[in-house]
Amino acid sequence: MADKDGRIARRQRPSFLGYPVSIFFIVVNEFCERFSYYGMKAVLVLYFKYFIGWDNDLSTTIYHTFVALCYLTPIMGAIIADSWLGKFKTIVYLSVVYTFGQVIMAVSSIHDITDSDKDGVPDNMTLHVALSMLGLILIALGTGGIKPCVAAFGGDQFEDHQEKQRSTFFSIFYLSINAGSLLSTLITPILRSQECGIYSKRSCFPLAFGVPAALMVVALIVFISGHSMYIMESPKGNILLKVMKCIAFALNNRFNHRGRQFPRRRHWMDWAEERYDKLLIAQVKMVLKVLFLYIPLPMFWALFDQQGSRWTLQATTMDANFGAFVIQPDQMQIVNPILIVIMVPIMDSAVYPLIKLCRINFTPLRRMTVGMLLAALAFVAAALLQIQIDRTMPKFPSSSQTQVKFLNMENTSLPVLVEGQEQFVVPGFNASNDYMTLDNITNVAVSVGGRNKTAYFLKERRHTVLINADGIIKTLFDATEKPSLGMNGIRFVNGFRTRLNITEKSDELGFLSPLEGSRYLMVHHGKVEFTIWNEDGQNCTYIMQLGFGSSYTLLIPSTFIFGQNCGDTIKAVQDIEPNSIHIAWQIIQYFLMTCGEVVFSVTGLDFSYAQAPSNMKSVLQAGWLLTVAVGNIIVLIVAEAGSLPDQWAEYLLFASLLVAVSIVFAIMAYFFTYTDPAEIESKFIELEPEDEKKKGLEMMMKDNVAYVQSENTDFKQTKI
C-alpha cells in the first residue's frame, strides 16, 4: 500500500544513532560496486594489449568505447527507474546483469580453457574476445544503469526532518566511492602482476577480474539483504522524457509553421505553447542555454580519461622501482584520486579565497576555462616525457630493413667483414658493439676470420650470428619488441662441450646442445637466480640483477667450470636496454590533470546546479554525463583514424585541440549571462491559478530534493 507521496506505507524501521539501518546496506553496496568497477577498469587496457594481443591503438579504442557506453547508459537507467520499475528493482535487476558481466570477464581471461597445447597461449582467441566483449557490454549496462539510482535511493530513506542525517549520509556515501576506487586501483594491479595458470603461468588477469566479480556478488547480496528495511517510492515519470517531448513538439510545430504567413516568435521554444505551459517552456530554455555551453566540454574528457589508457601504456615503458617498493604501471592511476582528496580542500580553503582577496573575478566559467588549459598543459608534459622515453627505446628494423650482430664463441678476437660495410673485430666471448642495420638486403656475403659464406636474413627481424674460427655457426632470431609489462627476456647460448639444462624457479628451458641457443625466458625485475645443470647432476647458480623491459643473451663459454664461482665466466650480452626513465616523472602530468579536474569538473557541476531550474537538475546531470561519453568517442576516433607515427605527436595534437576548444569556450562564456532560475520561475508561478501554483511548487521541490540526493556525491569528486 502506498501513501500519498507514492511511498510504500511506513512502519517502525530500525535505526542506529538516529540513522535508518537501511543506509548501511546502501553504503556497503556502493563501496563494493565501485571497487568492482574501478578494479576491473584499472587493468583493462593491459588485458587488451598483453592477453588479447591488440596493439596500442586498438586497445585504446575498445577501452574508450567501453567507457563511453558506461556514460551513455545512465540515461537509460534513470528513465527505467523513474518511469517503470522504480529505483530498487532497477538497481537489483541491473546489478544482476552487472554481476554476470564481471564473471564473464573473469572467465574470458582464463587462458587454459582453450590452451590445448599447454604453451600458455590460447588456441581460440576469438572465443576469449567474444566473451570479453559480451562481459564489457553487460558491465556497461549495469554500472551505467544503476549510476543515477543508488545515491537517490539512499536519500529516499530519510524523513523530511532528517536533513542533517541525510547530508552526513552523502558524505559517507562519497567516502565509500573514493575508498572503493583507491583500494581497487591499488590492489587489482598487484593481483594482475601475479602469475597463475593450470598448465602454464601467465599474468593473473583471472584473479584481477575475479576479485571485482566477487565484490559485485557481495554488493548485490548486501543490497538485497536490506530489502525489508527500505522505503521505496513508486515511479512518477521522468522529467527528461518530458523535456525531450517538449523540445520535439516545438521543433515539429515550428517546421509545420515555417511559412511567411505565420508570425515570428521570440524563441523557437515558444512554438511549444500550444501544448505545454509557459513555466515548463521557460525552464527548458534555461536548460538549453546551459546545454549549449556543454558543446565544447567533451574535449576535456577526451584528455582526462586517457589516464587509464595512453598514460597507463606509457607507464609500461618506464622504470617503476622506488627502492622500498615497486609500482605496477596500472597502479599509477591511483595518483589522481589521492591528489583529488588533497587538492579539493586546498582549492576551496586557500586558492579561491586568495584569488578573491586579489579582487580577481574568477567566475565559474573562467575556472572551467583554466581547468581545460591545465589539462592541455598536462598533455604537453606527457608529450615531453614521451620524447625522453622514445630516445631510450631501441630502433627496431622497418619493413625494408634487417638488423644483425655477431656473437664470438671463441676466446680470441675474430675479424668480421660484411658485404658493403667496414671490417670490424668481435672480441673473444663477446658480441659486436651494436646491431648493424642493412637496407633492402636479405642475402649477404660475410667473411669471418677470412672464411667467406653467404648469410640469409629476414626483413623486419633482428639476428644474432654465432661465429667461431671456422666461420658462421648458426643464426638466432632476436626479440623485435620490448618485453611486456616491465618483464625481462633472458636466453642462453651453450658454448660448453656438453649438454646443459637451465632453470629459473619452476621454469625450465630444457637441455641445450653445444652451440645451441635457447628461447627467451621471461623473468621479473630484481634479483634473479638461474641454475645450470649438466647430465651428471652438477649444477651452478648464476645471479643477475635486472631492471624493467630489458633483454639479454647469456653466453656459457667453453671455459665454463662448475663450482662456487662458476657464474663469473658467463658473459651477459645486452640485446635491449632496460627502461631508464623513472615512472615518478608521470606525477607531473597527473598533478596538472588533477588540478584541471578540480577547477573544471567540480566547478562545472556546481555551475550547472546553480543555473538549472529547480525541477530539471537531473536533465543537466544527463547532459553532463553525455559530455563524458562523447569525449571518449573522440579518443577512439583519433586512435583509429589518426596516422601520427609518434605517440608524443598525438599528445600534442590533443593538447592543441583542447587549447583551441578552450578559446571557443572562453568566447562563449564571455557572452553568457548568469541568471537566477528561482527568480524566473517565481514570475511564472505568480501568473498561475492558486491550485496550479501549489502543484507546481510541490513538483519542483520534489525534483529538487531528488537531484540533491543524486548529486551531493558529485560536487566534491568526479568518480561517479
Side-chain angles (χ1 to χ4, degrees):
M1 180 179 176
D3 61 17
K4 64 180 182 179
D5 291 326
R7 296 192 174 197
I8 292 178
R10 306 185 184 200
R11 55 188 175 275
Q12 188 64 34
R13 296 179 302 127
S15 63
F16 179 74
L17 299 178
Y19 294 88
V21 174
S22 57
I23 67 167
F24 296 101
F25 293 93
I26 296 172
V27 169
V28 173
N29 165 80
E30 184 66 11
F31 168 81
C32 294
E33 188 275 326
R34 291 290 85 186
F35 187 106
S36 178
Y37 174 73
Y38 282 104
M40 178 277 303
K41 185 167 169 272
V43 301
L44 187 59
V45 75
L46 298 185
Y47 168 75
F48 291 151
K49 180 174 174 61
Y50 297 116
F51 184 90
I52 300 296
W54 291 333
D55 61 18
N56 287 0
D57 288 341
L58 185 55
S59 299
T60 300
T61 296
I62 302 301
Y63 173 89
H64 287 283
T65 301
F66 166 70
V67 176
L69 191 58
C70 289
Y71 282 95
L72 287 172
T73 50
I75 298 175
M76 172 203 70
I79 293 174
I80 292 174
D82 293 343
S83 305
W84 181 26
L85 295 178
K87 298 184 185 73
F88 175 78
K89 288 183 179 179
T90 300
I91 294 170
V92 171
Y93 294 161
L94 290 179
S95 291
V96 171
V97 173
Y98 194 166
T99 303
F100 274 114
Q102 290 283 32
V103 172
I104 291 172
M105 275 300 298
V107 172
S108 76
S109 63
I110 302 174
H111 66 274
D112 290 306
I113 62 177
T114 62
D115 186 16
S116 57
D117 55 6
K118 303 178 183 180
D119 64 348
V121 180
D123 299 325
N124 186 3
M125 189 59 76
T126 302
L127 175 63
H128 293 272
V129 172
L131 286 174
S132 61
M133 293 302 101
L134 175 61
L136 289 176
I137 290 172
L138 295 179
I139 291 170
L141 291 174
T143 187
I146 68 175
K147 193 186 295 291
C149 303
V150 180
F153 185 70
D156 290 344
Q157 307 309 304
F158 293 89
E159 306 286 352
D160 293 338
H161 63 275
Q162 292 181 302
E163 292 182 3
K164 182 178 179 181
Q165 288 90 337
R166 181 187 290 121
S167 177
T168 304
F169 160 73
F170 285 123
S171 296
I172 298 172
F173 189 85
Y174 156 69
L175 180 62
S176 71
I177 292 174
N178 283 276
S181 169
L182 283 168
L183 289 176
S184 64
T185 308
L186 176 66
I187 293 172
T188 52
I190 296 175
L191 300 178
R192 189 268 312 152
S193 68
Q194 308 304 307
E195 293 187 341
C196 61
I198 300 174
Y199 306 117
S200 57
K201 305 297 183 183
R202 290 192 61 173
S203 292
C204 204
F205 285 105
L207 186 60
F209 289 138
V211 170
L215 264 291
M216 196 57 222
V217 173
V218 172
L220 180 58
I221 293 173
V222 168
F223 185 74
I224 294 176
S225 299
H227 173 267
S228 60
M229 292 178 254
Y230 294 140
I231 293 175
M232 289 179 264
E233 291 191 351
S234 302
K236 301 185 185 68
N238 188 271
I239 187 65
L240 178 59
L241 287 177
K242 191 174 182 180
V243 170
M244 293 171 65
K245 290 178 181 178
C246 182
I247 293 173
F249 179 81
L251 291 172
N252 184 62
N253 198 30
R254 177 67 184 91
F255 180 79
N256 293 334
H257 297 80
R258 60 187 181 277
R260 293 184 177 180
Q261 67 272 27
F262 300 104
R264 296 174 61 86
R265 300 186 184 182
R266 294 185 61 187
H267 193 281
W268 62 269
M269 274 304 303
D270 292 333
W271 288 95
E273 290 179 352
E274 283 81 352
R275 181 176 297 180
Y276 296 92
D277 60 77
K278 292 185 177 181
L279 174 59
L280 177 64
I281 294 172
Q283 292 168 332
V284 173
K285 288 179 183 178
M286 287 185 279
V287 167
L288 292 175
K289 183 180 178 182
V290 178
L291 289 178
F292 178 71
L293 275 179
Y294 282 3
I295 293 175
L297 303 191
M299 201 65 225
F300 173 86
W301 299 113
L303 277 68
F304 178 83
D305 278 333
Q306 290 189 60
Q307 294 175 90
S309 57
R310 291 298 197 195
W311 287 12
T312 298
L313 293 172
Q314 183 187 62
T316 63
T317 62
M318 305 181 75
D319 179 4
N321 189 2
F322 281 83
F325 59 92
V326 172
I327 288 286
Q328 297 298 324
D330 33 358
Q331 278 183 315
M332 278 302 291
Q333 300 171 61
I334 203 173
V335 174
N336 175 257
I338 290 175
L339 289 176
I340 279 285
V341 173
I342 297 172
M343 293 302 299
V344 167
I346 290 177
M347 297 299 291
D348 287 343
S349 61
V351 177
Y352 291 153
L354 183 61
I355 292 175
K356 190 175 181 180
L357 283 176
C358 296
R359 297 182 179 180
I360 298 175
N361 186 19
F362 202 32
T363 63
L365 294 180
R366 290 177 181 174
R367 294 183 190 179
M368 293 175 68
T369 304
V370 171
M372 296 166 80
L373 293 174
L374 286 171
L377 192 59
F379 262 61
V380 172
L384 294 175
L385 179 59
Q386 189 64 49
I387 291 172
Q388 297 303 315
I389 293 173
D390 290 346
R391 288 176 178 173
T392 67
M393 297 292 283
K395 303 298 182 184
F396 293 111
S398 67
S399 59
S400 63
Q401 295 177 328
T402 186
Q403 292 183 338
V404 184
K405 72 176 177 181
F406 296 83
L407 179 60
N408 187 356
M409 308 291 286
E410 297 279 350
N411 196 18
T412 57
S413 299
L414 290 173
V416 177
L417 178 62
V418 178
E419 180 184 355
Q421 308 291 323
E422 293 184 1
Q423 181 174 296
F424 56 92
V425 176
V426 182
F429 295 148
N430 211 326
S432 49
N433 291 331
D434 202 355
Y435 284 96
M436 176 185 298
T437 300
L438 305 176
D439 293 309
N440 297 309
I441 297 176
T442 54
N443 302 335
V444 185
V446 179
S447 172
V448 178
R451 298 178 180 272
N452 299 322
K453 187 174 182 180
T454 299
Y456 300 92
F457 303 119
L458 298 179
K459 292 182 179 180
E460 293 187 84
R461 296 298 302 266
R462 281 184 159 190
H463 310 76
T464 291
V465 180
L466 306 184
I467 59 175
N468 60 15
D470 295 326
I472 294 177
I473 303 172
K474 67 187 312 181
T475 300
L476 306 178
F477 291 118
D478 298 357
T480 52
E481 63 179 4
K482 293 273 282 185
S484 62
L485 294 170
M487 300 287 282
N488 299 276
I490 308 296
R491 71 175 175 186
F492 287 80
V493 173
N494 184 6
F496 198 51
R497 60 183 176 272
T498 63
R499 297 205 312 160
L500 298 174
N501 187 16
I502 297 98
T503 60
E504 192 272 327
K505 294 182 180 178
S506 60
D507 288 321
E508 183 175 341
L509 287 175
F511 278 97
L512 296 178
S513 299
L515 305 181
E516 184 181 359
S518 73
R519 61 180 172 84
Y520 280 102
L521 189 66
M522 292 298 158
V523 297
H524 290 279
H525 72 279
K527 183 179 178 182
V528 181
E529 294 186 4
F530 298 98
T531 303
I532 304 170
W533 305 78
N534 66 9
E535 293 177 304
D536 296 329
Q538 292 178 298
N539 67 81
C540 164
T541 299
Y542 178 70
I543 300 174
M544 291 188 75
Q545 193 70 31
L546 297 172
F548 296 83
S550 65
S551 178
Y552 288 89
T553 295
L554 302 183
L555 172 61
I556 304 174
S558 57
T559 55
F560 176 77
I561 300 176
F562 286 99
Q564 186 174 3
N565 298 319
C566 60
D568 293 344
T569 60
I570 296 176
K571 177 64 179 180
V573 177
Q574 188 178 82
D575 299 330
I576 297 177
E577 293 184 4
N579 303 339
S580 58
I581 305 297
H582 202 275
I583 201 170
W585 286 104
Q586 275 199 324
I587 295 176
I588 297 174
Q589 63 205 52
Y590 273 101
F591 174 76
L592 291 170
M593 182 62 75
T594 303
C595 290
E597 178 188 4
V598 170
V599 295
F600 174 86
S601 183
V602 176
T603 303
L605 287 166
D606 199 8
F607 164 79
S608 301
Y609 180 83
Q611 293 297 303
S614 55
N615 64 333
M616 294 193 182
K617 313 291 186 182
S618 58
V619 177
L620 284 185
Q621 170 65 357
W624 184 266
L625 294 177
L626 187 61
T627 65
V628 182
V630 175
N632 281 272
I633 293 172
I634 292 173
V635 180
L636 68 92
I637 291 173
V638 173
E640 277 300 294
S643 57
L644 296 175
D646 299 307
Q647 185 56 53
W648 64 265
E650 184 179 292
Y651 287 146
L652 288 182
L653 171 63
F654 275 108
S656 302
L657 289 174
L658 186 55
V659 169
V661 168
S662 300
I663 295 172
V664 173
F665 181 77
I667 296 172
M668 294 169 65
Y670 179 80
F671 291 101
F672 182 84
T673 304
Y674 291 85
T675 58
D676 184 354
E679 181 180 344
I680 295 175
E681 289 171 338
S682 64
K683 292 179 180 178
F684 283 93
I685 292 175
E686 289 173 0
L687 301 176
E688 293 180 355
E690 192 64 29
D691 291 342
E692 292 296 324
K693 184 189 303 184
K694 183 177 180 181
K695 181 180 177 182
L697 284 171
E698 289 177 352
M699 289 300 295
M700 282 190 293
M701 288 300 294
K702 282 183 181 177
D703 287 330
N704 188 32
V705 169
Y707 179 77
V708 172
Q709 290 168 354
S710 65
E711 287 310 298
N712 245 343
T713 59
D714 293 333
F715 291 145
K716 295 300 181 185
Q717 53 93 37
T718 57
K719 295 204 176 319
I720 52 179

